[in-house]
Amino acid sequence: MNQRNYQRELDQILSGLEGDGTVPRLLLHSCCAPCSSYVLEYLSRYFEITLLYFNPNIYPPSEYERRAAEQESLISRMTFVHPVTMMTGRYEPDEFYRAARGLEKEPEGGARCLRCYELRLREAALAAREGAFDFFTTTLTISPLKSAEKLNQVGERVGEEYGVAFLPSDFKKRDGYKRSLWLSNEYHLYRQNYCGCIYSIRT
């Protein structure tokens, strides 16, 4: 079976949006400001974006607050083609710990991470349905340490459950990750040295 090219699929969707005179609405789940920087720059040319900051996996609470504040600051300082607003989700770490139960010793990128992806993408799909958004997606595929294939599979599955179109992506392609590094430097963004959860600190 040939591996899907999610960037090419995204290109096809975006090309279909151009020229019809309307601006679709996108619910974008974001893990942090650095990862969102390139994605916002890229997708705001095509969408009116509401960024959902929903990351109950982040530990400790002070780290969560720091990342949320950095995300809000970035949006206030960047210039976009179409409007970008931010919605901060609930911070209830027990949701993550319930999802991760029994998988605490799994390596990064394993089954625990898949449950974490689903927790966050399910919340994004729900918010997208309730807000009548045209699409939803996540910034997580920009990370070289995360599997775009697994993230897209989870996103498509929960999108089908909630009746909202999942926008496929592999944002690390076409030097997206490198661009995020440049933007992080340009905006002096705080770049964390671990994914977010207490287990990623230990590994």
Side-chain angles (χ1 to χ4, degrees), residues 31-34 53 55 58-74 77 86 88 91 188-194:
C31 55
C32 63
Y53 184 80
N55 299 291
I58 296 176
Y59 174 88
S62 59
E63 178 73 11
Y64 172 87
E65 295 294 341
R66 184 176 185 181
R67 296 191 194 189
E70 192 76 339
Q71 181 70 82
E72 188 170 9
S73 174
L74 175 65
R77 290 183 289 145
M86 178 172 166
T88 302
Y91 179 56
H188 307 289
L189 298 179
Y190 163 61
R191 291 189 65 86
Q192 58 279 359
N193 59 9
Y194 66 103

Side-chain angles (χ1 to χ4, degrees), residues 17 22-28 43 46-50 82-83 85 87 127-137 164-165 167:
L17 298 176
T22 62
V23 181
R25 297 173 64 237
L26 172 70
L27 191 289
L28 174 66
L43 294 184
Y46 304 95
F47 299 98
E48 178 182 325
I49 299 173
T50 295
H82 296 298
T85 56
M87 178 188 344
R129 184 182 69 180
E130 291 180 345
F133 285 83
D134 299 293
F135 297 91
F136 80 102
T137 195
V164 184
L167 192 70

Side-chain angles (χ1 to χ4, degrees), residues 139-187:
T139 63
L140 288 167
T141 65
I142 200 168
S143 171
L145 302 177
K146 292 179 173 60
S147 166
E149 182 176 16
K150 291 178 180 178
L151 283 160
N152 279 277
Q153 288 173 350
V154 172
E156 289 173 351
R157 177 164 51 80
V158 298
E160 288 178 3
E161 289 181 31
Y162 287 93
V164 184
F166 179 75
L167 192 70
S169 73
D170 191 353
F171 293 122
K172 69 180 73 66
K173 293 292 183 69
R174 296 185 183 160
D175 291 331
Y177 179 68
K178 290 182 181 178
R179 177 64 177 169
S180 76
L181 295 177
W182 188 91
L183 288 167
S184 294
N185 184 64
E186 179 75 7
Y187 287 95

